């Protein structure tokens, strides 16, 4: 194995222009860790937020400057070597993981705790395995585990044309729900192709002000007061904040329980259980073809800045993946 590897790094928050393709030493796995040769790493909203240092919670890992210099958290690759005490993994094994707590995926090699790794199912490509972890966890928890979408219910997904939404629409349809997808005009046909029964262009229409109500709203881009969400819920309905502004998060947490009380509506935050061990049901559905992973574009490692620019500009339909090896 080589001593040096290529990685895409940054030392200050900013636009994709602050990213540099650099040579770094290949990390040594410590006890309990596995060195993974990265074959593919997918982009997530979290990479975009951590790059820019916005919203405020993206600076938890460094108020003025990022503490971790290599982003990238949904990885798929092969085991290169293992640290002391690691059992169950052999060099060459195909593995994937969500390493949001550790980062470092925009590189040829990354060192990760063995406990976060899972085998890539037979027949699944590295690109598809890299697409699944975070987006899949948001969709699975939001629609099935916490959202508990059921047949006949009306489900609205705001921000449904991106990575998480592309899985969420399909899961809601599989549950038998009537699905409304909200995103920008470029993505309306895409959401329909995934099964959305109705689509709304958020730049033209406010879904909370149309007089329609829903049993479940999964909002990946929430920017409104809690009362607006209460208005868009049917009696007994549930609103789940997944992403959006910190201001709206605060409003949902503080005012949500109050404004939801009339009509028995639940307005709260979705805390996603990250980690591929939690998404086994979705991985199974993808392996058997019941759910499909949509890769909009893939880029080589040296083009991480272009890939992030594309994601950040809101063009991505489904997932954007970096192919490394
Ligand atoms: N709660 C948790 O525990 C947890 C855990 C992980 C991730 N997250 C969050 O989950 C979300 C996952 O997003 P993702 O990976 O699917 O991102 P993505 O691929 O970037 O998709 C987000 C979509 O939302 C659209 N959008 C932006 N502003 C909008 C608005 N005002 N109204 C409606 N749609 C809008 C975007 O399109 P345009 O930009 O073109 O408009 C894009 O299509 C992120 O917000 C992330 O922070 C939460």
């Amino acid at each position: 194995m080589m001593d040096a590897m290529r990685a895409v790094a940054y030392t200050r928050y900013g636009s994709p222009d602050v990213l540099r393709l650099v040579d770094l030493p290949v990390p040594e796995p410590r006890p309990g860790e596995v060195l993974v040769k990265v074959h593919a790493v997918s982009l997530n909203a979290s990479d975009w937020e951590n790059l820019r240092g916005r919203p405020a919670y993206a600076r938890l890992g460094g108020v003025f400057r990022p503490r971790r210099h290599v982003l990238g958290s949904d990885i798929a690759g092969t085991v290169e070597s293992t640290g002391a005490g690691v059992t169950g993994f052999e060099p060459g094994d195909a593995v994937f993981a969500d390493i949001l707590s550790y980062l470092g995926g925009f590189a040829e090699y990354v060192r990760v705790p063995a406990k976060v790794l899972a085998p890539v199912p037979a027949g699944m490509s590295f690109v598809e395995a890299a697409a699944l972890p975070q987006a899949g966890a948001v969709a699975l928890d939001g629609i099935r585990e916490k959202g508990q979408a059921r047949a006949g219910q009306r489900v609205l997904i705001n921000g449904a044309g991106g990575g998480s939404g592309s899985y969420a629409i399909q899961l809601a349809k599989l549950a038998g729900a009537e699905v409304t997808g909200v995103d920008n005009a470029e993505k309306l046909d895409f959401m329909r192709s995934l099964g959305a029964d109705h689509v709304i262009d958020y730049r033209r229409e406010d879904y909370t002000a149309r007089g329609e109500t829903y049993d479940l709203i999964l909002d990946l881009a929430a920017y409104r007061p809690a009362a607006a969400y209460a208005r868009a819920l049917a009696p007994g309905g549930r609103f789940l904040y997944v992403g959006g502004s910190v201001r709206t998060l605060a409003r949902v947490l503080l005012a949500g329980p109050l404004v939801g009380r009339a009509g028995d509506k639940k307005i709260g935050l979705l805390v996603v259980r990250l980690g591929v061990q939690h998404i086994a049901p979705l991985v199974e559905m993808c392996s058997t073809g019941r759910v499909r992973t949509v890769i909009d574009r893939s880029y080589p490692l040296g083009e991480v800045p272009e890939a992030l620019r594309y994601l950040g500009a809101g063009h991505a339909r489904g997932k954007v993946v970096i192919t490394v090896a």
Side-chain angles (χ1 to χ4, degrees), residues 43-46 49 57 100 134-135 138 158-165 182-184 187 202-203 220-221 223 241-244 269-272 274 311-316 318-319:
L43 303 191
N44 285 289
S46 53
E49 293 166 355
Y57 57 71
L100 183 61
Q134 257 176 66
V138 168
N158 188 43
S164 307
V182 187
D183 211 303
N184 71 49
K187 300 181 189 174
Y202 79 85
R203 292 184 182 157
L220 308 169
Y223 298 100
Y241 171 105
V242 186
L269 165 69
L270 176 72
V271 180
V272 178
L274 294 175
L311 181 86
H315 299 308
K319 292 292 295 182

